[in-house]
mmCIF file of all heavy atoms in Angstrom:
data_model
loop_
_atom_site.group_PDB
_atom_site.id
_atom_site.type_symbol
_atom_site.label_atom_id
_atom_site.label_comp_id
_atom_site.label_asym_id
_atom_site.label_seq_id
_atom_site.Cartn_x
_atom_site.Cartn_y
_atom_site.Cartn_z
ATOM 1 N N HIS A 1 -107.613 207.941 -19.960
ATOM 2 C CA HIS A 1 -106.166 208.148 -19.275
ATOM 3 C C HIS A 1 -105.616 209.391 -19.822
ATOM 4 O O HIS A 1 -106.132 210.030 -20.888
ATOM 5 C CB HIS A 1 -105.316 207.093 -19.640
ATOM 6 C CG HIS A 1 -105.245 206.555 -21.131
ATOM 7 N ND1 HIS A 1 -104.716 207.326 -22.044
ATOM 8 C CD2 HIS A 1 -105.819 205.456 -21.776
ATOM 9 C CE1 HIS A 1 -104.762 206.784 -23.263
ATOM 10 N NE2 HIS A 1 -105.412 205.574 -23.016
ATOM 11 N N VAL A 2 -104.541 209.930 -19.336
ATOM 12 C CA VAL A 2 -103.850 211.106 -19.865
ATOM 13 C C VAL A 2 -103.236 210.826 -21.191
ATOM 14 O O VAL A 2 -102.576 209.794 -21.395
ATOM 15 C CB VAL A 2 -102.811 211.530 -18.836
ATOM 16 C CG1 VAL A 2 -101.984 212.742 -19.370
ATOM 17 C CG2 VAL A 2 -103.264 211.853 -17.429
ATOM 18 N N SER A 3 -103.508 211.753 -22.073
ATOM 19 C CA SER A 3 -103.154 211.515 -23.522
ATOM 20 C C SER A 3 -102.589 212.944 -24.001
ATOM 21 O O SER A 3 -102.775 213.894 -23.433
ATOM 22 C CB SER A 3 -104.198 211.012 -24.405
ATOM 23 O OG SER A 3 -105.330 211.961 -24.413
ATOM 24 N N VAL A 4 -101.873 212.816 -25.097
ATOM 25 C CA VAL A 4 -101.272 213.900 -25.768
ATOM 26 C C VAL A 4 -101.621 213.872 -27.266
ATOM 27 O O VAL A 4 -101.476 212.826 -27.932
ATOM 28 C CB VAL A 4 -99.838 214.105 -25.529
ATOM 29 C CG1 VAL A 4 -99.033 212.981 -26.118
ATOM 30 C CG2 VAL A 4 -99.278 215.477 -26.126
ATOM 31 N N SER A 5 -102.033 215.019 -27.803
ATOM 32 C CA SER A 5 -102.278 215.009 -29.283
ATOM 33 C C SER A 5 -101.995 216.484 -29.772
ATOM 34 O O SER A 5 -102.057 217.476 -29.085
ATOM 35 C CB SER A 5 -103.624 214.710 -29.576
ATOM 36 O OG SER A 5 -104.558 215.594 -28.950
ATOM 37 N N PRO A 6 -101.480 216.546 -31.073
ATOM 38 C CA PRO A 6 -101.213 217.860 -31.657
ATOM 39 C C PRO A 6 -102.449 218.724 -32.133
ATOM 40 O O PRO A 6 -103.449 218.008 -32.544
ATOM 41 C CB PRO A 6 -100.302 217.498 -32.741
ATOM 42 C CG PRO A 6 -100.817 216.234 -33.368
ATOM 43 C CD PRO A 6 -101.344 215.551 -31.939
ATOM 44 N N GLU A 7 -102.373 219.873 -32.083
ATOM 45 C CA GLU A 7 -103.340 220.692 -32.775
ATOM 46 C C GLU A 7 -102.999 220.968 -34.189
ATOM 47 O O GLU A 7 -102.112 221.840 -34.521
ATOM 48 C CB GLU A 7 -103.458 222.061 -32.126
ATOM 49 C CG GLU A 7 -104.062 222.080 -30.576
ATOM 50 C CD GLU A 7 -104.108 223.376 -29.983
ATOM 51 O OE1 GLU A 7 -103.956 224.436 -30.560
ATOM 52 O OE2 GLU A 7 -104.543 223.509 -28.761
ATOM 53 N N GLY A 8 -103.492 220.070 -35.039
ATOM 54 C CA GLY A 8 -103.098 220.162 -36.503
ATOM 55 C C GLY A 8 -102.123 218.890 -36.672
ATOM 56 O O GLY A 8 -102.481 217.794 -36.473
ATOM 57 N N THR A 9 -100.837 219.288 -37.017
ATOM 58 C CA THR A 9 -99.859 218.342 -37.118
ATOM 59 C C THR A 9 -98.595 218.562 -36.244
ATOM 60 O O THR A 9 -98.342 219.571 -35.880
ATOM 61 C CB THR A 9 -99.464 218.142 -38.640
ATOM 62 O OG1 THR A 9 -98.882 219.343 -39.041
ATOM 63 C CG2 THR A 9 -100.532 217.745 -39.521
ATOM 64 N N ALA A 10 -97.970 217.465 -36.024
ATOM 65 C CA ALA A 10 -96.576 217.648 -35.287
ATOM 66 C C ALA A 10 -95.496 217.078 -36.185
ATOM 67 O O ALA A 10 -95.174 215.833 -36.206
ATOM 68 C CB ALA A 10 -96.627 216.921 -33.944
ATOM 69 N N ALA A 11 -94.923 217.869 -37.092
ATOM 70 C CA ALA A 11 -94.079 217.429 -38.168
ATOM 71 C C ALA A 11 -92.607 217.404 -37.604
ATOM 72 O O ALA A 11 -92.225 218.208 -36.806
ATOM 73 C CB ALA A 11 -94.159 218.412 -39.325
ATOM 74 N N LYS A 12 -91.985 216.289 -37.993
ATOM 75 C CA LYS A 12 -90.473 216.238 -37.635
ATOM 76 C C LYS A 12 -89.716 217.453 -37.967
ATOM 77 O O LYS A 12 -89.813 217.966 -39.094
ATOM 78 C CB LYS A 12 -89.887 214.941 -38.201
ATOM 79 C CG LYS A 12 -90.553 213.669 -37.916
ATOM 80 C CD LYS A 12 -90.047 212.568 -38.658
ATOM 81 C CE LYS A 12 -90.625 211.169 -38.348
ATOM 82 N NZ LYS A 12 -90.067 210.065 -39.080
ATOM 83 N N GLY A 13 -88.884 217.845 -37.023
ATOM 84 C CA GLY A 13 -88.083 219.055 -37.284
ATOM 85 C C GLY A 13 -88.729 220.357 -37.077
ATOM 86 O O GLY A 13 -88.087 221.396 -37.230
ATOM 87 N N GLY A 14 -90.008 220.342 -36.886
ATOM 88 C CA GLY A 14 -90.793 221.573 -36.744
ATOM 89 C C GLY A 14 -91.259 221.945 -35.326
ATOM 90 O O GLY A 14 -90.878 221.323 -34.320
ATOM 91 N N TYR A 15 -92.047 222.940 -35.266
ATOM 92 C CA TYR A 15 -92.732 223.325 -34.061
ATOM 93 C C TYR A 15 -94.254 222.918 -34.030
ATOM 94 O O TYR A 15 -94.907 222.871 -35.186
ATOM 95 C CB TYR A 15 -92.548 224.779 -33.773
ATOM 96 C CG TYR A 15 -91.141 225.185 -33.434
ATOM 97 C CD1 TYR A 15 -90.236 225.282 -34.463
ATOM 98 C CD2 TYR A 15 -90.752 225.474 -32.166
ATOM 99 C CE1 TYR A 15 -88.899 225.599 -34.190
ATOM 100 C CE2 TYR A 15 -89.463 225.868 -31.880
ATOM 101 C CZ TYR A 15 -88.424 225.985 -32.866
ATOM 102 O OH TYR A 15 -87.275 226.337 -32.550
ATOM 103 N N ALA A 16 -94.897 222.749 -32.994
ATOM 104 C CA ALA A 16 -96.186 222.345 -32.809
ATOM 105 C C ALA A 16 -96.799 222.726 -31.603
ATOM 106 O O ALA A 16 -96.207 222.944 -30.573
ATOM 107 C CB ALA A 16 -96.324 220.811 -33.051
ATOM 108 N N THR A 17 -98.098 222.858 -31.546
ATOM 109 C CA THR A 17 -98.932 223.088 -30.288
ATOM 110 C C THR A 17 -99.451 221.845 -29.954
ATOM 111 O O THR A 17 -100.278 221.150 -30.812
ATOM 112 C CB THR A 17 -99.995 224.178 -30.455
ATOM 113 O OG1 THR A 17 -99.327 225.429 -30.789
ATOM 114 C CG2 THR A 17 -100.758 224.309 -29.221
ATOM 115 N N VAL A 18 -99.325 221.206 -28.846
ATOM 116 C CA VAL A 18 -99.847 219.986 -28.319
ATOM 117 C C VAL A 18 -100.604 220.186 -27.098
ATOM 118 O O VAL A 18 -100.425 221.018 -26.348
ATOM 119 C CB VAL A 18 -98.729 218.908 -28.091
ATOM 120 C CG1 VAL A 18 -97.854 218.675 -29.470
ATOM 121 C CG2 VAL A 18 -97.851 219.369 -26.944
ATOM 122 N N ASP A 19 -101.654 219.289 -27.049
ATOM 123 C CA ASP A 19 -102.674 219.356 -25.843
ATOM 124 C C ASP A 19 -102.441 218.106 -25.012
ATOM 125 O O ASP A 19 -102.581 216.952 -25.538
ATOM 126 C CB ASP A 19 -104.038 219.462 -26.357
ATOM 127 C CG ASP A 19 -104.257 220.800 -26.956
ATOM 128 O OD1 ASP A 19 -103.636 221.808 -26.591
ATOM 129 O OD2 ASP A 19 -105.123 220.823 -27.910
ATOM 130 N N PHE A 20 -102.212 218.192 -23.793
ATOM 131 C CA PHE A 20 -102.350 217.111 -22.737
ATOM 132 C C PHE A 20 -103.737 217.037 -22.268
ATOM 133 O O PHE A 20 -104.135 217.989 -21.570
ATOM 134 C CB PHE A 20 -101.303 217.274 -21.640
ATOM 135 C CG PHE A 20 -99.829 216.914 -22.112
ATOM 136 C CD1 PHE A 20 -99.045 217.901 -22.698
ATOM 137 C CD2 PHE A 20 -99.384 215.592 -22.073
ATOM 138 C CE1 PHE A 20 -97.782 217.559 -23.085
ATOM 139 C CE2 PHE A 20 -98.109 215.374 -22.401
ATOM 140 C CZ PHE A 20 -97.241 216.308 -23.071
ATOM 141 N N LYS A 21 -104.438 215.932 -22.540
ATOM 142 C CA LYS A 21 -105.798 215.859 -22.071
ATOM 143 C C LYS A 21 -105.878 215.038 -20.772
ATOM 144 O O LYS A 21 -105.494 213.965 -20.713
ATOM 145 C CB LYS A 21 -106.653 215.237 -23.282
ATOM 146 C CG LYS A 21 -108.163 215.102 -22.860
ATOM 147 C CD LYS A 21 -108.830 214.454 -24.088
ATOM 148 C CE LYS A 21 -110.391 214.335 -23.794
ATOM 149 N NZ LYS A 21 -111.089 213.657 -24.848
ATOM 150 N N VAL A 22 -106.462 215.541 -19.766
ATOM 151 C CA VAL A 22 -106.564 214.978 -18.514
ATOM 152 C C VAL A 22 -107.990 214.810 -18.063
ATOM 153 O O VAL A 22 -108.534 215.794 -17.667
ATOM 154 C CB VAL A 22 -105.727 215.806 -17.407
ATOM 155 C CG1 VAL A 22 -105.731 215.066 -16.101
ATOM 156 C CG2 VAL A 22 -104.276 216.002 -17.975
ATOM 157 N N PRO A 23 -108.496 213.633 -17.961
ATOM 158 C CA PRO A 23 -109.823 213.400 -17.491
ATOM 159 C C PRO A 23 -109.724 213.105 -15.977
ATOM 160 O O PRO A 23 -108.726 212.623 -15.397
ATOM 161 C CB PRO A 23 -110.232 212.088 -18.168
ATOM 162 C CG PRO A 23 -108.906 211.321 -18.466
ATOM 163 C CD PRO A 23 -107.870 212.407 -18.590
ATOM 164 N N ASN A 24 -110.876 213.465 -15.271
ATOM 165 C CA ASN A 24 -110.942 213.195 -13.827
ATOM 166 C C ASN A 24 -111.546 211.832 -13.701
ATOM 167 O O ASN A 24 -112.721 211.725 -14.063
ATOM 168 C CB ASN A 24 -111.781 214.226 -13.050
ATOM 169 C CG ASN A 24 -111.571 214.032 -11.607
ATOM 170 O OD1 ASN A 24 -110.567 214.581 -10.942
ATOM 171 N ND2 ASN A 24 -112.497 213.417 -10.975
ATOM 172 N N GLU A 25 -110.911 210.884 -13.058
ATOM 173 C CA GLU A 25 -111.568 209.459 -13.000
ATOM 174 C C GLU A 25 -112.122 209.247 -11.615
ATOM 175 O O GLU A 25 -112.456 208.034 -11.383
ATOM 176 C CB GLU A 25 -110.343 208.504 -13.356
ATOM 177 C CG GLU A 25 -109.868 208.665 -14.804
ATOM 178 C CD GLU A 25 -108.916 207.590 -15.099
ATOM 179 O OE1 GLU A 25 -107.763 207.433 -14.395
ATOM 180 O OE2 GLU A 25 -109.150 206.678 -15.981
ATOM 181 N N ARG A 26 -112.130 210.187 -10.782
ATOM 182 C CA ARG A 26 -112.625 209.895 -9.484
ATOM 183 C C ARG A 26 -114.021 210.601 -9.154
ATOM 184 O O ARG A 26 -114.220 211.681 -9.642
ATOM 185 C CB ARG A 26 -111.646 210.315 -8.342
ATOM 186 C CG ARG A 26 -110.258 209.643 -8.544
ATOM 187 C CD ARG A 26 -110.429 208.113 -8.286
ATOM 188 N NE ARG A 26 -109.187 207.425 -8.430
ATOM 189 C CZ ARG A 26 -108.689 206.857 -9.489
ATOM 190 N NH1 ARG A 26 -109.561 206.807 -10.571
ATOM 191 N NH2 ARG A 26 -107.492 206.182 -9.497
ATOM 192 N N ASP A 27 -114.822 209.950 -8.429
ATOM 193 C CA ASP A 27 -116.100 210.530 -8.146
ATOM 194 C C ASP A 27 -116.127 211.425 -6.936
ATOM 195 O O ASP A 27 -116.991 212.213 -6.671
ATOM 196 C CB ASP A 27 -117.153 209.350 -7.927
ATOM 197 C CG ASP A 27 -117.407 208.648 -9.098
ATOM 198 O OD1 ASP A 27 -117.336 209.230 -10.314
ATOM 199 O OD2 ASP A 27 -117.792 207.411 -9.117
ATOM 200 N N ASN A 28 -115.109 211.221 -6.108
ATOM 201 C CA ASN A 28 -115.107 211.975 -4.850
ATOM 202 C C ASN A 28 -113.809 212.872 -4.581
ATOM 203 O O ASN A 28 -113.464 213.244 -3.513
ATOM 204 C CB ASN A 28 -115.141 210.954 -3.601
ATOM 205 C CG ASN A 28 -113.949 209.965 -3.715
ATOM 206 O OD1 ASN A 28 -113.214 209.976 -4.715
ATOM 207 N ND2 ASN A 28 -113.793 209.138 -2.719
ATOM 208 N N ALA A 29 -113.195 213.189 -5.742
ATOM 209 C CA ALA A 29 -111.973 214.034 -5.626
ATOM 210 C C ALA A 29 -111.739 214.680 -6.911
ATOM 211 O O ALA A 29 -112.192 214.235 -8.100
ATOM 212 C CB ALA A 29 -110.715 213.090 -5.336
ATOM 213 N N SER A 30 -111.041 215.790 -6.848
ATOM 214 C CA SER A 30 -110.624 216.619 -8.096
ATOM 215 C C SER A 30 -109.177 216.421 -8.443
ATOM 216 O O SER A 30 -108.406 216.183 -7.461
ATOM 217 C CB SER A 30 -110.942 218.062 -7.845
ATOM 218 O OG SER A 30 -112.391 218.370 -7.670
ATOM 219 N N THR A 31 -108.871 216.676 -9.703
ATOM 220 C CA THR A 31 -107.431 216.609 -10.148
ATOM 221 C C THR A 31 -106.854 218.023 -9.797
ATOM 222 O O THR A 31 -107.382 218.971 -10.327
ATOM 223 C CB THR A 31 -107.213 216.182 -11.497
ATOM 224 O OG1 THR A 31 -107.729 214.941 -11.810
ATOM 225 C CG2 THR A 31 -105.820 216.363 -11.913
ATOM 226 N N THR A 32 -105.785 218.077 -8.937
ATOM 227 C CA THR A 32 -105.359 219.389 -8.621
ATOM 228 C C THR A 32 -103.796 219.624 -9.154
ATOM 229 O O THR A 32 -103.271 220.745 -8.924
ATOM 230 C CB THR A 32 -105.265 219.579 -7.074
ATOM 231 O OG1 THR A 32 -104.541 218.467 -6.576
ATOM 232 C CG2 THR A 32 -106.645 219.518 -6.530
ATOM 233 N N LYS A 33 -103.237 218.572 -9.749
ATOM 234 C CA LYS A 33 -101.856 218.774 -10.208
ATOM 235 C C LYS A 33 -101.450 217.775 -11.247
ATOM 236 O O LYS A 33 -101.993 216.614 -11.245
ATOM 237 C CB LYS A 33 -100.948 218.518 -8.985
ATOM 238 C CG LYS A 33 -99.435 218.868 -9.232
ATOM 239 C CD LYS A 33 -98.591 218.620 -8.014
ATOM 240 C CE LYS A 33 -97.204 219.052 -8.199
ATOM 241 N NZ LYS A 33 -96.425 218.739 -6.952
ATOM 242 N N LEU A 34 -100.749 218.244 -12.201
ATOM 243 C CA LEU A 34 -100.265 217.427 -13.344
ATOM 244 C C LEU A 34 -98.887 217.711 -13.523
ATOM 245 O O LEU A 34 -98.462 218.898 -13.739
ATOM 246 C CB LEU A 34 -101.114 217.660 -14.666
ATOM 247 C CG LEU A 34 -100.571 216.985 -15.846
ATOM 248 C CD1 LEU A 34 -100.862 215.434 -15.747
ATOM 249 C CD2 LEU A 34 -101.193 217.427 -17.170
ATOM 250 N N GLU A 35 -98.031 216.689 -13.586
ATOM 251 C CA GLU A 35 -96.606 216.795 -13.825
ATOM 252 C C GLU A 35 -96.271 215.992 -15.161
ATOM 253 O O GLU A 35 -96.666 214.848 -15.177
ATOM 254 C CB GLU A 35 -95.737 216.273 -12.739
ATOM 255 C CG GLU A 35 -96.010 217.005 -11.466
ATOM 256 C CD GLU A 35 -95.267 216.209 -10.311
ATOM 257 O OE1 GLU A 35 -94.108 216.443 -10.179
ATOM 258 O OE2 GLU A 35 -95.917 215.605 -9.498
ATOM 259 N N VAL A 36 -95.710 216.565 -16.119
ATOM 260 C CA VAL A 36 -95.301 215.908 -17.359
ATOM 261 C C VAL A 36 -93.785 215.913 -17.491
ATOM 262 O O VAL A 36 -93.207 216.916 -17.658
ATOM 263 C CB VAL A 36 -96.032 216.548 -18.599
ATOM 264 C CG1 VAL A 36 -95.636 215.912 -19.780
ATOM 265 C CG2 VAL A 36 -97.500 216.454 -18.426
ATOM 266 N N ALA A 37 -93.252 214.783 -17.485
ATOM 267 C CA ALA A 37 -91.756 214.682 -17.802
ATOM 268 C C ALA A 37 -91.432 214.497 -19.204
ATOM 269 O O ALA A 37 -92.203 213.776 -19.963
ATOM 270 C CB ALA A 37 -91.265 213.384 -17.007
ATOM 271 N N PHE A 38 -90.458 215.244 -19.708
ATOM 272 C CA PHE A 38 -90.062 215.241 -21.147
ATOM 273 C C PHE A 38 -88.971 214.190 -21.475
ATOM 274 O O PHE A 38 -88.194 213.861 -20.577
ATOM 275 C CB PHE A 38 -89.746 216.652 -21.693
ATOM 276 C CG PHE A 38 -90.893 217.549 -21.755
ATOM 277 C CD1 PHE A 38 -91.631 217.891 -20.723
ATOM 278 C CD2 PHE A 38 -91.155 218.057 -23.077
ATOM 279 C CE1 PHE A 38 -92.793 218.734 -20.955
ATOM 280 C CE2 PHE A 38 -92.143 218.822 -23.268
ATOM 281 C CZ PHE A 38 -92.973 219.240 -22.167
ATOM 282 N N PRO A 39 -89.113 213.644 -22.658
ATOM 283 C CA PRO A 39 -88.064 212.668 -23.028
ATOM 284 C C PRO A 39 -86.666 213.179 -23.061
ATOM 285 O O PRO A 39 -86.423 214.275 -23.502
ATOM 286 C CB PRO A 39 -88.482 212.147 -24.461
ATOM 287 C CG PRO A 39 -89.284 213.304 -24.959
ATOM 288 C CD PRO A 39 -90.030 213.947 -23.855
#
C-alpha cells in the first residue's frame, strides 16, 4: 500500500525529507496520479 517514511529521521520541531512510496498493484494498468492530503 501507499506508505511514507523519512530519509533519516523526522524529528519533532525540525525539517525532514520524506518519501511517499507508491506500488502499482494492477497487472493491466499503470498508476498515473497521486494525491496526498496533508493533516
